[in-house]
Amino acid sequence: MSGEKREHLYKILVIGELGTGKTSIIKRYVHQFFSQHYRATIGVDFALKVLNWDPATIIRLQLWDIAGQERFGNMTRVYYKEAVGAFIVFDVTRASTFDAVVKWKQDLDSKVQMADGSPIPCVLLANKCDQQKEGLVNNPPKMDEYCKEKGFTGWFETSAKENVNIEEAARALVSKILLNDKLLHGNDTKDPTKIALDPNGKANGEPPNGKSCAC
Amino acid sequence: MSTFSDSIQLVCDTMKRQIISRAFYGWLAYCRHLRTVRTHLSGLVSPCIVSADEPNDARAGVTPERWAQLDCREELLRLAYFGGVCHDIRKQVWPYLLGHYVFGSTADDRRTLDATTRQSYETTMSEWLAVEAIVRQRDKETMAANLAKLSSESTSGEAPPPTPNLQHDLSNDVFEDNVSLSDDDNDPVVVDGEEAAGQNDSQDTSDAPDSLATAAAAAATVAAAPTGAEVSSSAAVAAAAAGAVAVSVAPPASAEGETEDVDQPEAEESAGVETSSPTAESGEPETAEESVEQAAAAPEQAEAEAVVPAEQSADPAAPAAAGEGQQAEQQVEQQAEQQMEQQAEAAEDLTEAANLAAEAQDLAEAPLINYAAAKIVMTKPSVDAFPEAERTEDTTNKLAGTSQGNRSNCVSPASSQGGVYSTELLETFGLNIHRIDKDVQRCDRNYWYFTTDNLEKLRNVMCTYVWEHLDIGYMQGMCDLVAPLLVILDDESCTYACFCRLMDRMGANFPNGGAMDTHFANMRSLIQILDSEMFELMHQNGDYTHFYFCYRWFLLDFKRELLYDDVFSTWETIWAAQHVASSNFVLFIALALVQTYRDIILSNSMDFTDIIKFFNEMAERHDAKAVLALARDLVLQLQTLIENK
């Protein structure tokens, strides 16, 4: 199978408080473009990013841009379904958006898990880092500690406006997802075009059959 | 042999009977089910079918000619339902369609309604403006505390001094970390307010002079009569001047200022006369009963004193601001040169005086209005002092300084009046304001109407609504609902009233309302009845019968799915349909959208993600006319179906 290209489709969530720049990050990442005039997201928006990860791997990221206020609705359960990775975004200029990060993380972890029941990889984005920062984000060592404690894969200071670190953050998340894939499917090499989506990713955390390619 | 074939015959017969009976029972069950669904759905449409052709063709909609002749509400609704409203007269027609104006009311009735609407809108606005001022001041304190904390503990030194712009944003979020601050609320507020409110002002001016002007106008008209914008602003300046001249006199003066505002025409006259006797103020108010009471209740001396400065500057636009006016300005300057401590003292005096005045006025049975009065002053003078300052003096900076003082002076009474606003309320409203700001700033910026000025109006309407409905709070999407109303009506108080009407129906769609699930369930039944093939697909391809792909449609009445012109016609059709065809017309538009792309959806056998993506990409590309026609057709279809059961 080594000669064939592997293709993965990953569903990635982008969540966080209202007005933290989720849409801007996605537009920057996918369209290399920034505007002040994005409208508030209602419900969910989508974007697709294709990565030529290495000569043998193509990765399609299906980015789910979920409205900041949706944490209060019940729809996140449906939106989160089958996601394999997430970005939680906060705004460095507003500490309250950072305070909400942990609530988003809990919401995420309670509604979607990996095949083995562990939380899906999640990268924390400290967005708008071109502006003046407020709170813990001023103290990188403490942020590292925070991420370790709360189960984040890592954190990045990003700026959609100045195009800072967004590629890097995505790379980190995808690496982690690929690593998880390998761990979960280490022996599973018979399906070269496996789809990483997990149809059994029920919120109760006990998927009956593991990942889709195992079916 | 024959027995063998007989037995085969028997078996075959039995099987045939079984098959037939099974089929029959299956069919029976299906029919019963459909009947249940039909009964259920019959509630969705009106039982009587209104024709587009009787008594005349309604497809041309409400044209100016027809509008001029209309004498019957049913006819208006019928025309609007089948043909929409001609754009030029939307501004007149919409309040009727939304139920704000009663059809058949006289022009006088409507004028009175406008006046009361405006007055209550402005009263409400003055209330939340006051709270906003306090919230901002608290933000400032929090900011300062945070910075202090930061600079003391952080070694990174990454934090440059805050810019005013940022302070806006940084603010209210950190309350939880700084509970201690709330302890200080009661008295030091007076002192702190000076910086905070003052900085807000200077921010505003530097940021957006235009929006400031509107804000000024809005604030100024807070207690004003419909035509009294000028009057009230001058009154506000009067109050400001009064505050600057003699602080202890200021509060009654402000009360007077308010009275003056409420008095409408009289106030205008007296302001115009300028030198008129003090009794013009207190004696004449015939129109506003409360204000009479207030005036009566206000201490007489204070009244007399107050009237003088108020009169002086009541006509600030006139360059010849009279000798007294100059006095006032001189004193304003003096004050500007004085230091903060003095202002703080003065502020305390003022607080006391204000309390006295407020108490006195409380007796007059209009406590709310009194608070409003106090708040009007706190918001108005600071803003209004600017035009005056620019016109008469070059000492803008100094005046700005004093106006800061004034504003905060005036802020203090409200906050120190025995805790009128709880910390909780301040935090809740602060959070809401913040969300509103985030969404207002990015609301339809690509549409020509939304200039900075008009966004300010949008914000006012939104804040007023949220202040009146703090239990619900701001939810994302509300701005989108206000926006088209504001574009058409172009008047804050009318937009606010109409938005309230709109929210009577739409409010339940928001997360706490529960109407969304009902919509989804109805959609499910409708598709099951009207398009079983589609229903089948939805079942097969990953169950998306939860219909979340319709969420935005229902939340915003398709506002995001269509271009502005189409939103207008769609909305008025929905409003009219309520009385003509179906109070759930949105369902039929949704159905029409699904029907329109039915073949694409079926041939690609789309799953949940596909369909939600598809409709997101199709946003603002639909043929609204065709969709609306199809929706009306579907209503008729269901009506006929139910009629024939």
Side-chain angles (χ1 to χ4, degrees), chain B residues 267-275 314-315:
Chain B
E268 200 165 21
E269 283 161 28
S270 62
V273 175
E274 196 195 352
T275 50
D315 202 1

Side-chain angles (χ1 to χ4, degrees), chain A residues 13-83:
Chain A
L13 307 172
V14 182
I15 53 181
E17 286 298 277
L18 167 169
T20 49
K22 298 178 290 297
T23 306
S24 295
I25 287 177
I26 291 175
K27 299 268 174 174
R28 167 61 81 186
Y29 183 51
V30 175
H31 304 296
Q32 288 84 39
F33 182 76
F34 178 80
S35 158
Q36 308 268 12
H37 290 180
Y38 296 128
R39 297 196 287 190
T41 308
I42 304 290
V44 63
D45 274 333
F46 295 91
L48 187 73
K49 172 85 176 178
V50 181
L51 295 176
N52 290 307
W53 188 256
D54 59 43
T57 322
I58 291 179
I59 293 175
R60 294 176 196 279
L61 297 182
Q62 188 182 67
L63 298 159
W64 286 56
D65 179 5
I66 294 171
Q69 207 157 342
E70 286 311 325
R71 187 159 53 84
F72 305 103
N74 342 320
M75 290 193 308
T76 48
R77 190 176 296 278
V78 175
Y79 292 156
Y80 290 174
K81 213 171 152 186
E82 299 172 5

Side-chain angles (χ1 to χ4, degrees), chain B residues 554-629:
Chain B
F554 295 139
L555 188 76
L556 305 179
D557 271 358
F558 303 89
K559 192 262 178 181
R560 287 280 182 99
E561 317 312 316
L562 306 167
L563 295 166
Y564 254 90
D565 283 344
D566 295 332
V567 171
F568 300 147
S569 57
T570 303
W571 279 22
E572 55 207 16
T573 312
I574 293 171
W575 302 334
Q578 209 168 347
H579 310 280
V580 175
S582 164
S583 47
N584 290 284
F585 192 67
V586 282
L587 290 176
F588 295 90
I589 303 179
L591 213 55
L593 277 177
V594 175
Q595 287 287 299
T596 306
Y597 303 101
R598 178 176 187 279
D599 294 342
I600 303 177
I601 296 168
L602 285 176
S603 64
N604 291 297
S605 64
M606 292 187 178
D607 65 12
F608 170 63
T609 310
D610 295 333
I611 202 168
I612 200 170
K613 231 161 103 178
F614 174 73
F615 277 113
N616 271 358
E617 279 158 22
M618 286 304 291
E620 301 188 340
R621 294 180 197 190
H622 305 292
D623 178 353
K625 265 210 174 71
V627 170
L628 281 182

Side-chain angles (χ1 to χ4, degrees), chain B residues 124-189:
Chain B
T124 314
M125 214 174 125
S126 68
E127 283 172 28
W128 67 257
L129 278 172
V131 177
E132 188 192 11
I134 300 170
V135 166
R136 291 206 168 164
Q137 160 207 324
R138 287 169 47 109
D139 291 350
K140 279 294 126 60
E141 294 164 7
T142 311
M143 261 292 298
N146 272 359
L147 280 177
K149 207 166 69 184
L150 203 74
S151 55
S152 64
E153 77 184 18
S154 154
T155 50
S156 66
E158 275 174 24
T163 63
N165 270 341
L166 276 171
Q167 290 174 354
H168 253 310
D169 291 6
L170 292 174
S171 57
N172 55 47
D173 312 320
V174 208
F175 281 152
E176 295 139 47
D177 308 346
N178 293 281
V179 188
S180 59
L181 282 167
S182 59
D183 301 342
D184 315 334
D185 260 355
N186 279 335
D187 29 6
V189 157

Side-chain angles (χ1 to χ4, degrees), chain B residues 332-349:
Chain B
V332 165
E333 277 180 73
Q334 277 178 18
Q335 276 223 342
E337 284 151 16
Q338 286 166 357
Q339 293 304 309
M340 278 302 193
E341 310 97 57
Q342 281 182 337
Q343 288 188 355
E345 281 174 27
E348 274 168 17
D349 290 351

Side-chain angles (χ1 to χ4, degrees), chain B residues 306-479:
Chain B
V307 167
V308 181
E311 285 294 322
Q312 287 167 10
S313 50
D315 202 1
E324 292 151 325
Q326 283 175 6
Q327 258 183 26
E329 278 150 18
Q330 282 170 8
Q331 284 175 341
V332 165
E333 277 180 73
Q334 277 178 18
Q335 276 223 342
E337 284 151 16
Q338 286 166 357
Q339 293 304 309
M340 278 302 193
E341 310 97 57
Q342 281 182 337
Q343 288 188 355
E345 281 174 27
E348 274 168 17
D349 290 351
L350 190 137
T351 312
E352 278 177 31
N355 283 336
L356 282 174
E359 274 167 31
Q361 289 171 4
D362 274 332
L363 299 174
E365 296 179 6
L368 255 182
I369 299 204
N370 290 329
Y371 287 143
K375 287 162 211 152
I376 290 157
V377 178
M378 77 181 69
T379 48
K380 275 193 288 190
S382 53
V383 180
D384 276 353
F386 289 113
E388 190 194 24
E390 280 158 17
R391 282 187 206 117
T392 53
E393 291 279 341
D394 290 330
T395 57
T396 317
N397 291 335
K398 290 176 185 171
L399 274 175
T402 45
S403 73
Q404 289 168 21
N406 283 333
R407 180 178 193 157
S408 51
N409 286 351
C410 299
V411 169
S412 49
S415 54
S416 57
Q417 260 169 18
V420 176
Y421 304 116
S422 68
T423 311
E424 195 191 352
L425 179 132
L426 292 176
E427 285 179 10
T428 311
F429 191 61
L431 188 64
N432 276 292
I433 286 191
H434 194 267
R435 290 188 174 142
I436 292 170
D437 280 340
K438 275 281 162 204
D439 277 5
V440 165
Q441 281 160 23
R442 52 185 173 158
C443 182
D444 296 329
R445 296 300 296 273
N446 297 325
Y447 190 64
W448 62 270
Y449 182 82
F450 289 102
T451 57
T452 319
D453 283 7
N454 287 334
L455 285 176
E456 185 76 28
K457 290 184 194 165
L458 177 64
R459 180 182 190 271
N460 288 340
V461 173
M462 208 61 261
C463 287
T464 306
Y465 182 83
V466 167
W467 174 248
E468 289 281 271
H469 302 83
L470 257 188
D471 49 328
I472 306 171
Y474 175 74
M475 300 270 191
Q476 282 200 300
M478 287 183 179
C479 275

